[in-house]
Amino acid sequence: MNEISIILIEDHDLTRMGLRAALQSHSALKVIGEAANATQGLKLLETAKPDVAVVDIGLPDMDGIELTRKFKRYQAETGQSNTKILILTMDHTEDAVLAAFAAGADSYYMKETSISKLTEAIQATHGGNSWIDPAIANVVLRKMRQGIPGEIQGSDKPKTVKIEALASEYEQVLETYPLTQRELEILELIVGGCSNGQIAEKLYITVGTVKTHVRNILNKLCADDRTQAAVRALRSGLVA
């Protein structure tokens, strides 16, 4: 099994040193670089090309959310999309969580969580999954309003929406199999934390029909589960 290469972008020296020591003790992980501010971090991201970057939000020269936004823009321009961003923070406010995912963060990890969970989060993030700290999962799932630009009232034509700000392979799937209006309605309720039974009751359809739509939504978003689908919907701006 190949080692997962990691860089740490954290301004507190003791925290950074502790993270490095803990991660280096894991045989599957290798810390290949460190940065104490966002400016150094961006340069390191571009040159080292790690598998995963652990980024603190509270950096002195530029916050980790803006750093993530700039780096994701760089990735889009250069086609270098292998590096994943894992946000590391003490901030679990709704604004911070949603801003991080909107900027393109792949995962969100709270500092007070155990180091064993951090290694789990890094491995999941490297594998292409969005790892959400349980402390902020409810923040993500609580968001349930959506805005669909250009919606035509009374149109018989099924509404389809292309999701932006997703990896190119997801966009290719959605271009071929876009979400329908009904799937968008169900996705909004998923983000709101509704069960299949609750969705069926709200939309006056059977649970079996809901399950079919949920399965289609997961396939189109290339998501492993409902939580991951919710995160991708929020990051893309599909559900706001």
Side-chain angles (χ1 to χ4, degrees):
M1 183 182 192
N2 293 333
E3 291 178 319
I4 299 174
S5 61
I6 302 163
I7 66 169
L8 303 174
I9 306 176
E10 162 66 60
D11 61 320
H12 290 96
D13 293 341
L14 289 177
T15 300
R16 195 172 63 252
M17 291 168 60
L19 285 171
R20 182 187 185 103
L23 295 176
Q24 290 285 56
S25 68
H26 196 292
S27 60
L29 308 177
K30 182 178 182 180
V31 178
I32 61 172
E34 301 175 32
N37 59 53
T39 302
Q40 295 173 357
L42 277 172
K43 291 180 180 177
L44 189 58
L45 279 166
E46 294 173 7
T47 56
K49 297 179 174 62
D51 294 319
V52 178
V54 177
V55 180
D56 183 28
I57 280 187
L59 298 171
D61 53 339
M62 177 197 312
D63 66 43
I65 293 173
E66 183 60 24
L67 180 154
T68 299
R69 186 177 294 110
K70 287 180 180 258
F71 180 63
K72 289 296 181 177
R73 187 180 304 127
Y74 166 82
Q75 286 185 309
E77 292 171 352
T78 62
Q80 193 278 100
S81 60
N82 293 330
T83 300
K84 309 294 185 184
I85 300 291
L86 186 152
I87 291 291
L88 182 67
T89 182
M90 294 288 288
D91 191 346
H92 55 73
T93 62
E94 183 174 289
D95 286 347
V97 172
L98 299 178
F101 283 120
D106 297 284
S107 295
Y108 200 97
Y109 182 87
M110 300 299 295
K111 283 185 176 180
E112 65 262 29
T113 313
S114 68
I115 195 67
S116 63
K117 283 294 183 183
L118 177 57
T119 60
E120 180 183 326
I122 289 172
Q123 291 173 316
T125 304
H126 174 56
N129 298 309
S130 293
W131 199 95
I132 310 172
D133 196 293
I136 60 94
N138 286 336
V139 172
V140 175
L141 295 176
R142 212 165 42 232
K143 297 300 290 181
M144 62 181 292
R145 289 194 178 91
Q146 71 175 13
I148 306 174
E151 183 172 359
I152 301 174
Q153 299 296 329
S155 174
D156 293 330
K157 184 178 179 181
K159 179 68 178 178
T160 61
V161 175
K162 176 184 176 183
I163 296 182
E164 304 289 353
L166 292 175
S168 58
E169 61 268 28
Y170 307 151
E171 290 187 354
Q172 289 171 6
V173 172
L174 285 164
E175 285 175 1
T176 306
Y177 306 105
L179 294 177
T180 65
Q181 178 63 45
R182 176 61 86 188
E183 288 166 351
L184 287 167
E185 291 171 350
I186 291 174
L187 179 59
E188 180 181 10
L189 293 172
I190 289 173
V191 172
C194 292
S195 66
N196 286 346
Q198 290 170 322
I199 293 173
E201 184 177 348
K202 288 177 182 291
L203 299 181
Y204 303 102
I205 56 180
T206 67
V207 172
T209 299
V210 173
K211 289 180 179 179
T212 298
H213 284 306
V214 170
R215 184 168 60 249
N216 291 339
I217 290 167
L218 297 183
N219 288 338
K220 290 178 181 182
L221 293 180
C222 300
D224 296 325
D225 52 41
R226 296 160 71 100
T227 301
Q228 192 176 79
V231 171
R232 289 182 176 160
L234 288 167
R235 281 180 50 194
S236 67
L238 181 61
V239 175

